[in-house]
Amino acid sequence: MADLDRVLVLAGGMSPEHEVSVRSGRRVAESLRRLDVEVQIADVDSALLGTLAADPPQVVFPALHGASGEDGATAEVLELSAVPYVGAPPAACRAAFAKPVAKALVAERGIAVPRGVVLPKSAFHDLGAPALLERIVATLGLPLFVKPDQGGSAFGATAVDTPEALSSALVSCFAYGDRALIEERVEGTEIAVGVLDLGDGPFDLPPVEIVPDGGVYDYTARYTPGRTEFFCPARLSEAAARAAAEAALTAHRALGLRDYSRTDLIVDGAGTVRFLEVNVAPGMTETSTFPMAVEAAELDFARVCRDLAFNAYNRRR
């Protein structure tokens, strides 16, 4: 560990998740500093390449959420700059960031997923929105959940209970992307399962049960203290807990992820675990589930951050 003394944390970015990323980056930086690691924080902007070339850090710890942070672009830049970094390689980021792609790859491994369709904004114009909306409801039924096919923090995501609400949900969705993922809404227990790899292979963290006060885990519920109640470990049967852990590990491996990830799942009344999506750069804020799970596993969050950075440093060495 003595060889690691200077880390660059990337936080901010240009996505709608900028503020969340800033908070995640601040927590990672403060945690590393408590272990006497010198930390700089930088944004992803026109100065980044110059900074990496003029004064390369030992390791970069991206705490970026959303486009450019989780879609593989930043990882590609760091690869081009030959700088070690924490997190998944570019191709894995791209696969995980595209929710329908991740869903298909995980389903191929035998993990249950909600039924759904992916449609571009143009389809509703070209084929006639009323007829297409009617066909979606007739095929998938109600209730539904609509979200952009890329992105996170629940931006543009809406629960739909009536046929009339589907149209407005799509308008909200298309404000954040050109393609909508429309899925059957499975009722049950919403959980997040973190996966961590500190050098000896990936292992699952305790599942976190998510109970938002308004019933929907939207942006406000995610990042406003007190708006969501969390249970860690989640209140699941032993069989459901095992299935959830296996689903998260399967997603991590199927997508080629590295270091850490967080998989969002729902467990229905029969105990069936369904995959919703996976995140290559889990939130690290005070209301984020990944740090909760780390602490529930009786691991020190600061040491986990340092170990992740140290392992990334050793990969390039």
Side-chain angles (χ1 to χ4, degrees), residues 25-306:
R26 185 184 303 124
R27 184 170 186 185
V28 170
E30 291 172 352
S31 298
L32 290 171
R33 286 170 180 148
R34 285 201 297 273
L35 299 178
D36 298 321
V37 177
E38 179 186 336
V39 181
Q40 296 171 293
I41 300 181
D43 205 337
V44 178
D45 54 25
S46 59
L48 178 61
L49 284 172
T51 299
L52 295 175
D55 187 22
Q58 286 179 299
V59 180
V60 171
F61 198 126
L64 297 162
H65 309 313
S68 81
E70 293 185 87
D71 65 359
T74 297
E76 289 282 21
V77 169
L78 295 172
E79 291 279 354
L80 288 169
S81 301
V83 177
Y85 62 94
V86 174
C93 289
R94 287 190 292 270
F97 194 66
K99 294 182 178 69
V101 174
K103 183 178 170 182
L105 290 172
V106 171
E108 286 179 358
R109 300 293 184 96
I111 304 300
V113 299
R115 294 183 306 135
V117 296
V118 183
L119 289 167
K121 185 178 182 179
S122 59
F124 294 90
H125 177 270
D126 296 343
L127 301 176
L132 187 50
L133 292 171
E134 182 180 344
R135 177 50 47 196
I136 291 169
V137 172
T139 302
L140 296 178
L142 290 168
L144 297 169
F145 201 82
V146 177
K147 56 188 174 183
D149 72 329
Q150 299 185 350
S153 289
F155 283 110
T158 308
V160 173
D161 294 303
T162 66
E164 295 75 24
L166 180 55
S167 179
S168 59
L170 287 164
V171 170
S172 175
C173 175
F174 290 137
Y176 292 95
D178 291 329
R179 297 173 67 86
L181 173 57
I182 307 164
E183 294 180 320
E184 62 174 344
R185 192 166 90 236
V186 180
E187 304 292 349
T189 303
E190 188 170 355
I191 61 171
V193 181
V195 171
L196 185 60
D197 186 346
L198 298 177
D200 295 322
F203 61 92
D204 58 289
L205 296 172
V208 181
E209 180 180 347
I210 299 160
V211 186
D213 62 4
V216 178
Y217 195 41
D218 58 13
Y219 182 87
T220 301
R222 286 167 189 256
Y223 302 114
T224 304
R227 288 295 301 272
T228 297
E229 190 173 8
F230 300 97
F231 297 89
C232 188
R235 299 170 297 179
L236 300 173
S237 69
E238 186 177 341
R242 284 198 305 268
E246 186 57 38
L249 288 167
T250 297
H252 188 90
R253 294 180 176 122
L255 294 165
L257 303 184
R258 188 171 66 187
D259 295 334
Y260 65 160
S261 67
R262 188 200 78 231
T263 295
D264 298 335
L265 306 160
I266 193 141
V267 184
D268 68 18
T272 300
V273 175
R274 286 182 173 82
F275 170 88
L276 298 178
E277 58 187 78
V278 66
N279 292 262
V280 301
M284 298 295 195
T285 73
E286 65 279 6
T287 60
S288 296
T289 61
F290 190 86
M292 291 179 201
V294 167
E295 293 170 8
E298 299 183 348
L299 299 171
D300 181 80
F301 180 73
R303 291 179 181 275
V304 165
C305 291
R306 185 185 64 180

